[in-house]
Structure formats: C-alpha cells, structure tokens
Amino acid sequence: MHVVVNAAMSADGKLSSRRREQLAISGDEDFARVDRVRAESDAVVVGVGTVLADDPHLTVKDERLRERRRERGEPETPARVVVDSSGRTPTDAAVLDDAATTYCCLSEAAPVDRRAALADAAELITAGEERVDLLRAFAALQEAGLEQVMVEGGGELIFSLFEAGLVDELRVFIGPTIIGGRDAPTLADGEGFVADFPELALEAVDRLDEGVLLTWRVEDR
C-alpha cells in the first residue's frame, strides 16, 4: 500500500484556527490538484475529528476526472475511510452517503449501538482495543483492494500514521496567511516525537496560487 498524506496549512503551520473551523487556506489551483490526487487514489482517509468539524464529502468534484475513472472500470469516486475509535461518526454525515463505499475503522471499545448504526451505511473494520490499531486497519484495507491511499487529516491521525511508519509521501500546500494560536491544530498533533524523528527527502517544490506545494518522500525509519 502507498500512503500519501496531503494537507494545506498556513505559513505558520496551522491547519485551522483554535476554533477548529474549516478555513480556505488553498486557492483554485490547489483545490484542482487535490481533486486530481483523489481521482488517482483508491481511498481517501480522514479521522473522525475532521468528520465532526467539517462534514466533508470526500468525493471527486471534476466530471472529467470521474469519467476517466469510469473508463478505467473504477467507481467514479474513491472509497472513503474514517478512522473512528469509539464510533462517533454521525449517521447523517456526508461521508456516509451512497456516493462511494465507506469504511469505518473502529476499536473494540466502540459501543454496540454505534456499531449497529454505522453498519447500515459503512463497511466496519475493527482493529485495536481502545484505539484503532492503524497497522492492522490499513492491512485490512489493503486486503480489500485499496493500494493507493490519500490521507486528508486531521493532525492527530497524521501524527499517528507517521508514528506507525505507514506514510510513504507527504504533500503540503503552504498558504499565504498566518493563523496563530497555541491551541490551533498543526500538521502532526498527538503526543509528538522526542526521538527517532521521521526523515523526509524533498522531491519537489511548486508554486501554486499565492503559496507553495512541497512534496517529500518519507525515508525508511
């Protein structure tokens, strides 16, 4: 499985404000790029925090890109994956509509009633006792045929994926704004590393809109 983390952050490294509300950090060029990356992927992955904050649809927007997927014999939009240890995804979340297959990765601690509610709209993967075991969950996704995976956030999930050694590539659009705030989410939140830091090799630098896109390959740890 090839895992690409894709994110947009402010010039000071924030994904959104301390209120954790969705902000338009990117411009039209980067939005179009993200749509292309989605169209090239087998699945788009987010954490439940992103679902609760933004209620994203996670579908391919450009009809031409959807048509190319159909021509390849693929669903017109990739599968969607929510990493949700305790089953907090609302049953009316946009990501659970019938636009594409959705997988919910749960831990064994997710309540039975939440499992039952989510099972009506999603394929359930159980991995881990209190929190989702990402290694096991991603192995199950790969067994389901998902090979090219795009991760769109948030910061807690991105850190956990780096911690598990699952990230192969990092693409970050840095937008021309300052958000600030010690409590504003960053690209990689969670507990943070104190040693054995992931090493990145710079692959490309591209100017988009009024910002810059940085592409890194993650070195083996």
Side-chain angles (χ1 to χ4, degrees):
M1 176 183 285
H2 188 79
V3 178
V4 177
V5 169
N6 183 86
M9 67 183 187
S10 62
D12 59 329
K14 306 297 185 180
L15 298 183
S16 67
S17 73
R18 58 185 171 82
R19 295 180 177 176
R20 296 182 180 266
E21 299 169 338
Q22 188 174 26
L23 300 176
I25 296 173
S26 300
D28 291 342
E29 286 183 284
D30 192 54
F31 287 139
R33 179 193 65 83
V34 171
D35 209 31
R36 291 194 298 272
V37 178
R38 283 184 183 174
E40 295 165 359
S41 303
D42 297 320
V44 180
V45 184
V46 295
V48 66
T50 297
V51 172
L52 294 173
D54 301 337
D55 194 25
H57 201 200
L58 303 180
T59 55
V60 175
K61 304 298 189 283
D62 190 320
E63 172 58 30
R64 293 168 298 178
L65 295 175
R66 294 197 299 268
E67 176 61 27
R68 288 173 196 163
R69 287 182 60 90
R70 290 192 294 266
E71 290 173 353
R72 296 196 299 265
E74 301 172 348
E76 66 176 26
T77 202
R80 297 155 309 174
V81 179
V82 181
V83 178
D84 181 5
S85 294
S86 56
R88 293 186 294 151
T89 301
T91 53
D92 62 350
V95 75
L96 293 180
D97 69 8
D98 60 3
T101 301
T102 300
Y103 296 85
C104 279
C105 299
L106 309 172
S107 74
E108 294 174 7
V112 173
D113 61 332
R114 293 303 305 149
R115 290 175 179 278
L118 292 171
D120 289 337
E123 300 288 333
L124 304 187
I125 293 174
T126 302
E129 295 182 3
E130 297 296 325
R131 297 184 59 189
V132 172
D133 182 324
L134 291 170
L135 286 171
R136 288 170 52 194
F138 274 55
L141 292 170
Q142 188 171 21
E143 289 178 6
L146 307 180
E147 294 291 345
Q148 179 77 15
V149 174
M150 175 188 188
V151 179
E152 293 198 21
E156 296 278 346
L157 175 61
I158 291 172
F159 170 77
S160 296
L161 288 167
F162 272 106
E163 186 179 40
L166 286 168
V167 181
D168 297 293
E169 190 176 342
L170 174 63
R171 303 177 189 176
V172 182
F173 175 80
I174 301 175
T177 189
I178 298 292
I179 294 175
R182 65 179 60 89
D183 296 323
T186 66
L187 177 71
D189 286 333
E191 294 182 3
F193 295 103
V194 294
D196 194 23
F197 304 101
E199 296 287 339
L200 307 177
L202 187 63
E203 296 275 286
V205 179
D206 300 289
R207 179 167 181 167
L208 294 177
D209 301 308
E210 292 301 314
V212 62
L213 173 69
L214 303 177
T215 302
W216 283 285
R217 183 183 72 256
V218 182
E219 303 281 24
D220 292 336
R221 297 175 64 191

